[in-house]
């Protein structure tokens, strides 16, 4: 499958969104709302629950399932308050020593005037900084599009995993083609140049694991849940300072 085919696959209608992953893997999920500063951003869904019996904090960027749902979740394009809500939940997780699971699926952070006025770039930068120095285990899984800073704001984790037909890149292929060639028709060529596929990212050590999708069956979610639980269990005995140092080292290598 060519890079642009994977881009289209990552955006495919009917693909499970963050809420679906939460429904399938998290028991007793309780959603928590608001950033305690401005508003609640529906593009970021976060809360607490149990994964394989383990208390966890889950934060997902939600695109929405149908048209009405997509509009309600702003098509997965988070505002500053979405990233500030995520940071609030991460700090809460740190206080109660819960691991943090982030599910990323976004074409990018919202770039409207209001978002800029409320400090979009600062909110994303703060989310990255706070996540890197979080004194509890954290894992990010790219489950669709991993677009630009909108994705990176929730991806400064101990490890980043990606499902096999997801993408993760500094810019959308359309944006790249428009900037470099002044021609949106070069989108397929841009997709190849960006090295945004799971296979490319694994070879570049930008992700640690590629997850086989298996048509997103119940078995897929059950197996993924077990892998996540095993990952968090492997981090349980590591001192907090060592966790932070290793996470910081991961990103310094880039």
């Amino acid at each position: 499958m060519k890079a642009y085919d994977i881009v289209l696959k990552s955006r495919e209608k009917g693909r499970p969104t963050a809420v679906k992953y939460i429904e399938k893997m998290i028991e007793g999920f309780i959603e928590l709302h608001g950033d305690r500063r401005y508003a609640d951003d529906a593009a970021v869904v976060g809360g607490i629950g149990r994964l394989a019996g383990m208390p966890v904090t889950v934060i997902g960027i939600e695109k929405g399932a149908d048209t009405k749902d997509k509009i309600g979740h702003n098509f997965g394009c988070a505002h500053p308050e979405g990233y500030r809500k995520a940071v609030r939940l991460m700090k809460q997780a740190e206080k109660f020593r819960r691991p943090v699971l982030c599910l990323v699926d976004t074409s990018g952070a919202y770039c409207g005037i209001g978002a800029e006025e409320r400090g979009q770039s600062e909110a994303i930068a703060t989310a990255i900084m706070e996540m890197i120095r979080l004194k509890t285990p954290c894992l990010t899984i790219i489950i669709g599009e991993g677009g630009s800073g909108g994705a990176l704001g929730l991806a400064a984790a101990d490890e980043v995993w990606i499902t096999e037909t997801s993408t993760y890149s500094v810019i959308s292929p359309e944006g790249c083609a428009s900037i470099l060639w002044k021609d949106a028709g070069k989108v397929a060529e841009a997709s190849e140049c960006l090295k945004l596929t799971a296979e490319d990212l694994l070879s570049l050590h930008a992700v640690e694991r590629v997850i086989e999708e298996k048509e997103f069956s119940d078995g897929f979610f059950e197996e993924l849940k077990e892998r996540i639980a095993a990952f968090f269990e492997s981090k349980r005995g590591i001192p907090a300072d060592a966790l932070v140092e290793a996470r910081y080292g991961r990103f310094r290598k880039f």
Side-chain angles (χ1 to χ4, degrees):
M1 195 181 293
K2 293 184 178 179
Y4 188 55
D5 294 327
I6 293 174
V7 169
L8 295 177
K9 191 79 173 172
S10 74
R11 301 168 175 172
E12 196 170 56
K13 185 178 180 181
R15 188 182 182 91
T17 63
V19 165
K20 185 70 170 180
Y21 278 76
I22 291 169
E23 287 175 357
K24 289 288 187 178
M25 298 193 301
I26 307 300
E27 304 129 32
F29 180 72
I30 300 171
E31 187 176 356
L32 302 174
H33 297 274
D35 67 346
R36 301 298 185 266
R37 297 189 189 184
Y38 180 77
D40 182 45
D41 184 4
V44 176
V45 175
I48 57 177
R50 291 184 178 273
L51 185 143
M54 179 189 305
V56 294
T57 290
V58 186
I59 303 165
I61 302 179
E62 172 62 25
K63 277 187 172 180
D66 54 29
T67 301
K68 183 179 179 180
D69 202 29
K70 288 178 187 293
I71 293 170
H73 290 286
N74 201 36
F75 298 86
C77 296
H79 293 78
E81 45 272 22
Y83 293 101
R84 291 175 180 138
K85 173 167 69 172
V87 169
R88 180 175 76 82
L89 296 182
M90 288 179 202
K91 299 301 285 184
Q92 182 195 74
E94 180 182 68
K95 179 179 179 180
F96 294 103
R97 300 180 181 178
R98 288 192 300 266
V100 176
L101 172 65
C102 292
L103 304 168
V104 171
D105 184 12
T106 180
S107 59
Y110 188 60
C111 57
I113 293 173
E116 295 298 330
E117 289 175 340
R118 296 193 301 278
Q120 183 70 288
S121 59
E122 180 275 335
I124 293 171
T126 298
I128 293 168
M129 179 181 70
E130 294 291 355
M131 195 171 185
I132 281 181
R133 64 189 188 186
L134 200 66
K135 293 182 177 180
T136 195
C138 49
L139 172 67
T140 293
I141 305 177
I142 311 294
I143 61 170
E145 285 186 278
S148 192
L152 189 58
L154 294 183
D158 298 323
E159 289 190 6
V160 176
W161 299 356
I162 187 169
T163 59
E164 60 185 341
T165 61
S166 291
T167 61
Y168 189 28
S169 67
V170 69
I171 191 172
S172 70
E174 291 84 358
C176 177
S178 296
I179 291 170
L180 292 186
W181 292 287
K182 312 297 183 188
D183 181 4
K186 297 271 190 180
V187 64
E189 187 174 344
S191 298
E192 295 291 341
C193 293
L194 284 168
K195 303 296 180 186
L196 45 63
T197 69
E199 186 178 330
D200 289 330
L201 294 160
L202 188 64
S203 69
L204 292 167
H205 306 291
V207 302
E208 278 75 20
R209 178 176 287 184
V210 176
I211 302 161
E212 186 181 351
E213 291 170 0
K214 301 178 182 176
E215 299 181 347
F216 301 111
S217 63
D218 287 344
F220 162 80
F221 290 106
E222 190 61 34
E223 185 177 332
L224 180 57
K225 180 170 72 171
E226 290 173 4
R227 286 182 173 185
I228 296 168
F231 173 78
F232 285 145
E233 192 64 38
S234 72
K235 300 290 182 182
R236 183 175 293 228
I238 300 175
D241 289 343
L243 266 178
V244 174
E245 186 177 349
R247 192 182 306 132
Y248 182 71
R250 178 188 187 273
F251 288 92
R252 286 295 297 169
K253 283 192 296 186
F254 294 159

